[in-house]
């Protein structure tokens, strides 16, 4: 998967001369300040680009899975029905047993019949994760999926997501340097001038929160983000 | 737990003073919601009765509440038939308003062209007072029933149209993206995303439209005047007015107001039942 070129929305330039390739089977973390066009990159990969004019080249699979900051659950459907919505919309056979199995993998076996409003923020994000797993795509796009969660829930969700989406091609958009340090097989900082690769800590993801090099990478990332561009 | 609690240890299930005050408040509100309006009504009725009796007002000018109730019972066969006629028009108009309002709203959201072409006329129909259109309707529409229905519909359909349009357009953008990623068709997006999103808005419009269709039906009966099938409650009020039968006018008025309250309560209940599982407006906050 690769995206090269420049993009604008209407007359507003979003980014220029970008060249981002995603390595298959690895997690790429895209980090950057608000407004540098991270989300536009993700939308282009997701095919949700009707407002974006791209002059360049895009290699992306036809079908991807997406998980965003808002859980994007249908409030009138139960957790289980939300998990299987993709199959329903495609007209495929709705495999409720597999839906239940996926829900139990995210620890929500008992909550399958509940509506999203009856679940906590973390539980709703687990349902969204279960739906992403249910879709079973090779490429998964994550748009700040944990940023609305409290610190403890966020750490738990990072572990769970990294475990369940291991070996998939993942693009994780994030504001959070620690998250990038924990979850990136590759970490890329996006600024108005382009992309910059950052050395990653050792070890497989999800890396330990208290590992020395993870904390060091977090500090480095924060410093680089704070540098005036 | 504050520091002051050290000297007076309390068990977790023993409510403290604040909690007791809160419970008292909640209990008071629960009882007050029903008793206060009843008390006001009793005071008003007694005052009305006293004013009539003490000033010796004749019943053809202002009947006392007792006489009105008496008339309501005595004239029940006439009034009940009239009530059925008015309710029939009201409910039919509401049903047509739902079909027309939702149908047009769906058309509007599916095609910008249709919306741009017809929305202004929907607004014009809404803002033109029905009493000024109704006489024309009864000139051109031969059937009394159809004329009455058309009037009531004109008054009732707009809140459903505008609320449902708003609801269909306010489906969450994240969810729209999701549906695009899943390759949902236009029809699927309408059926599985936009219509459920619009339901709370539609129900809000429906509650307004319920009252409006009753008003529309009553106004239309007034304009249609006597004759034809016009024997609804408004017709009975007109007729009783010509005969200076003031108690019957009041009795019919009570039935109209009562119908309005019942329609509103019924639609509120329907709304609650449909939304209580998932929509913010109907969920009880815990804490």
């Amino acid at each position: 998967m690769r995206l090269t070129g420049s993009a604008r929305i209407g007359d507003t330039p979003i980014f220029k001369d970008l060249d981002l390739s995603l390595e298959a089977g690895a997690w790429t973390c895209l980090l950057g300040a608000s407004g540098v066009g991270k989300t536009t990159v993700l939308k282009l990969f997701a095919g949700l680009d009707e407002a974006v004019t791209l002059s360049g080249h895009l290699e992306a699979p036809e079908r991807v899975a997406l998980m965003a900051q808002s859980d994007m659950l249908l409030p009138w459907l139960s957790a289980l029905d939300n998990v299987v919505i993709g199959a329903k919309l495609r007209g495929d056979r709705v495999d409720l047993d597999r839906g239940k199995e996926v829900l139990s993998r995210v620890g929500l076996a008992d909550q399958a019949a509940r509506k999203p409003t009856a679940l906590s923020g973390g539980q709703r994000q687990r349902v969204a994760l279960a739906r992403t797993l249910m879709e079973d795509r090779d490429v998964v796009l994550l748009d700040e999926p944990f940023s609305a969660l409290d610190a403890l829930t966020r750490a738990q969700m990072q572990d769970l997501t990294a475990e369940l989406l291991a070996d998939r091609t993942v693009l994780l958009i994030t504001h959070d340097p620690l998250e990038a340090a924990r979850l990136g097989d590759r970490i890329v900082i996006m600024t108005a001038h382009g992309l910059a690769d950052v050395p990653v800590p050792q070890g497989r993801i999800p890396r330990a929160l208290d590992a020395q090099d993870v904390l060091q990478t977090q500090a480095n990332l924060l410093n680089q983000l704070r540098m005036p561009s | 737990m504050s520091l002051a609690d050290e000297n007076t240890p309390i068990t977790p299930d023993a409510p403290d003073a604040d909690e007791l005050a809160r419970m008292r408040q909640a209990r008071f509100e629960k009882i007050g919601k029903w008793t206060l309006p009843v008390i006001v009504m009793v005071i008003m009725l007694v005052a009305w009765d006293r004013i009539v009796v003490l000033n010796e007002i004749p019943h053809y000018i202002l009947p006392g509440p007792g006489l009105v109730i008496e008339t309501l019972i005595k004239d029940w066969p006439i009034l009940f038939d009239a009530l059925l006629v008015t309710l029939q028009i009201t409910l039919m108009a509401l049903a047509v308003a739902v079909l027309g309002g939702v149908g047009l709203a769906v058309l509007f959201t599916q095609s910008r062209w249709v919306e741009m072409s017809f929305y202004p006329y929907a607004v014009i129909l809404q803002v033109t007072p029905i009493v000024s259109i109704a006489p024309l309707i009864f000139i051109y529409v031969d059937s009394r029933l159809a004329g009455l229905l058309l009037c009531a519909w004109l008054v009732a359909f707009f809140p459903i149209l505008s609320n449902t349009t708003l609801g269909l357009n306010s489906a969450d953008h994240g969810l729209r993206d999701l549906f695009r990623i899943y390759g949902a068709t236009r029809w699927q997006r309408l059926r599985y995303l936009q219509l459920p999103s619009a339901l709370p808005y539609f129900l809000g419009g429906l509650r307004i439209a319920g009252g409006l269709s009753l008003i529309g039906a009553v106004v239309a009966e007034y304009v249609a005047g006597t004759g034809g099938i016009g024997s609804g409650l408004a017709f009975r009020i007109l007729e009783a007015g010509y005969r200076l039968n003031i108690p019957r006018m009041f009795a019919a008025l009570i039935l109209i107001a009562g119908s309005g309250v019942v329609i509103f309560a019924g639609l509120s209940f329907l709304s609650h039942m449909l939304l209580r599982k998932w929509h913010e407006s109907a969920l009880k906050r815990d804490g």
Side-chain angles (χ1 to χ4, degrees):
Chain A
M1 285 179 68
R2 190 171 176 198
L3 172 66
T4 53
S6 311
R8 57 189 165 80
I9 296 177
D11 291 333
T12 317
I14 304 296
F15 55 76
K16 249 171 47 186
D17 303 329
L18 192 88
D19 185 351
L20 176 66
S21 7
L22 303 186
E23 194 191 323
W27 282 54
T28 306
C29 286
L30 187 59
L31 200 72
S34 300
V36 295
K38 301 190 299 290
T39 297
T40 306
V41 170
L42 179 128
K43 289 208 156 174
L44 284 164
F45 276 125
L48 300 169
D49 47 2
E50 67 270 33
V52 184
T53 318
L54 174 74
S55 36
H57 186 66
L58 172 69
E59 270 170 49
E62 199 174 321
R63 285 276 161 86
V64 298
L66 170 68
M67 212 175 134
Q69 181 181 352
S70 73
D71 46 61
M72 302 204 298
L73 301 178
L74 298 167
W76 48 87
L77 295 185
S78 69
L80 181 60
D81 286 335
N82 264 294
V83 168
V84 298
I85 183 84
K88 191 174 173 188
L89 290 179
R90 280 189 299 274
D92 297 349
R93 200 178 66 84
V94 174
D95 190 344
L96 286 179
D97 290 332
R98 195 169 151 247
K100 281 180 197 154
E101 192 258 321
V102 169
L103 268 176
S104 68
R105 273 164 74 191
V106 299
L108 290 179
D110 303 338
Q111 319 280 341
R114 303 187 86 165
K115 300 272 194 303
T117 34
L119 300 173
S120 71
Q123 288 174 326
R124 284 203 293 273
Q125 212 46 294
R126 279 165 193 253
V127 178
L129 176 59
R131 184 179 57 193
T132 309
L133 291 172
M134 188 75 189
E135 285 301 293
D136 200 19
R137 301 280 167 223
D138 294 330
V139 176
V140 181
L141 305 171
L142 303 176
D143 189 6
E144 301 179 33
F146 316 120
S147 57
L149 303 174
D150 65 87
L152 178 63
T153 315
R154 186 186 311 160
Q156 288 168 345
M157 278 301 290
Q158 286 168 348
D159 290 338
L160 185 67
T161 311
E163 179 197 324
L164 295 176
L165 295 181
D167 304 325
R168 286 177 213 244
T169 310
V170 175
L171 174 64
L172 171 64
I173 306 276
T174 181
H175 280 301
D176 179 0
L178 180 59
E179 185 166 289
R182 293 196 68 206
L183 299 180
D185 290 315
R186 180 181 170 214
I187 302 175
V188 181
I189 287 190
M190 185 171 178
T191 65
H193 308 300
L195 301 178
D197 260 274
V198 177
V200 294
Q202 293 186 330
R204 273 181 66 82
I205 65 163
R207 303 187 183 93
L209 269 166
D210 53 356
Q212 201 57 50
D213 53 353
V214 169
L215 294 175
Q216 188 58 48
T217 306
Q218 180 195 8
N220 288 345
L221 286 170
L222 199 55
N223 276 333
Q224 287 209 28
L225 286 171
R226 284 165 62 189
M227 271 195 307
S229 48
Chain B
M1 281 280 189
S2 65
L3 286 174
D5 291 333
E6 273 178 0
N7 298 330
T8 53
I10 49 170
T11 48
D13 46 341
D16 58 11
D18 270 3
E19 191 143 336
L20 279 175
R22 212 164 36 237
M23 282 162 65
R24 254 201 315 277
Q25 176 79 18
R27 205 161 46 228
F28 174 75
E29 276 188 15
K30 204 169 158 189
I31 299 169
K33 210 165 88 179
W34 295 102
T35 49
L36 290 180
V38 171
I39 291 171
V40 169
M41 187 158 89
V42 170
I43 293 172
M44 297 285 283
L45 287 176
V46 170
W48 175 8
D49 185 58
R50 285 300 94 195
I51 289 169
V52 170
V53 172
L54 293 179
N55 296 310
E56 294 174 353
I57 301 174
H59 66 78
Y60 53 83
I61 292 180
L62 179 64
L67 183 58
V68 171
I69 301 294
E70 212 174 286
T71 313
L72 186 59
I73 295 164
K74 188 176 60 140
D75 290 352
W76 183 253
I78 301 171
L79 290 175
F80 184 65
D81 283 350
L83 174 68
L84 288 184
V85 171
T86 301
L87 279 183
Q88 188 198 357
I89 303 283
T90 303
L91 295 180
M92 282 168 76
L94 187 60
V96 184
V98 167
L99 288 179
V102 173
L104 275 176
V106 168
L107 261 179
F108 281 8
T109 48
Q110 293 303 299
S111 161
R112 288 287 297 161
W113 290 99
V114 175
E115 180 174 10
M116 282 192 287
S117 310
F118 292 104
Y119 191 76
Y121 297 100
V123 175
I124 289 171
L125 278 179
Q126 167 65 18
V127 297
T128 312
I130 189 66
V131 275
S132 56
I133 314 176
L136 285 172
I137 290 176
F138 286 107
I139 290 174
Y140 298 118
V141 178
D142 281 336
S143 156
R144 269 288 123 126
L145 180 70
L148 291 173
L149 251 180
L150 189 57
C151 288
W153 178 78
L154 280 177
V155 180
F157 90 101
F158 191 77
I160 295 185
L161 169 66
S162 70
N163 270 30
T164 310
T165 307
L166 179 66
L168 288 170
N169 286 331
S170 62
D172 184 77
H173 278 277
L175 289 173
R176 281 169 194 259
D177 282 352
L178 191 78
F179 271 59
R180 288 205 41 199
I181 285 186
Y182 288 166
T185 61
R186 214 179 154 87
W187 160 249
Q188 285 179 323
R189 199 178 62 206
L190 178 68
R191 164 72 185 78
Y192 294 111
L193 176 60
Q194 288 178 292
L195 284 175
S197 301
L199 185 65
Y201 296 82
F202 161 75
L203 290 168
L206 185 65
R207 278 200 293 191
I208 302 171
L212 285 181
S213 55
L214 179 64
I215 293 174
V218 168
V219 168
E221 272 183 43
Y222 268 101
V223 176
T226 51
I229 67 143
S231 53
L233 280 174
F235 167 75
R236 289 293 169 205
I237 290 181
L238 278 179
E239 183 196 45
Y242 296 144
R243 297 178 184 172
L244 287 183
N245 188 346
I246 312 296
R248 190 189 280 178
M249 291 176 84
F250 271 97
L253 189 61
I254 288 174
L255 283 181
I256 291 178
S259 308
V261 171
V262 169
I263 289 171
F264 183 81
L267 292 176
S268 299
F269 179 71
L270 175 75
S271 169
H272 178 75
M273 293 309 285
L274 286 174
L275 299 181
R276 71 197 165 108
K277 285 278 176 57
W278 64 272
H279 195 252
E280 294 288 344
S281 67
L283 287 172
K284 286 209 176 73
R285 284 273 135 242
D286 43 338

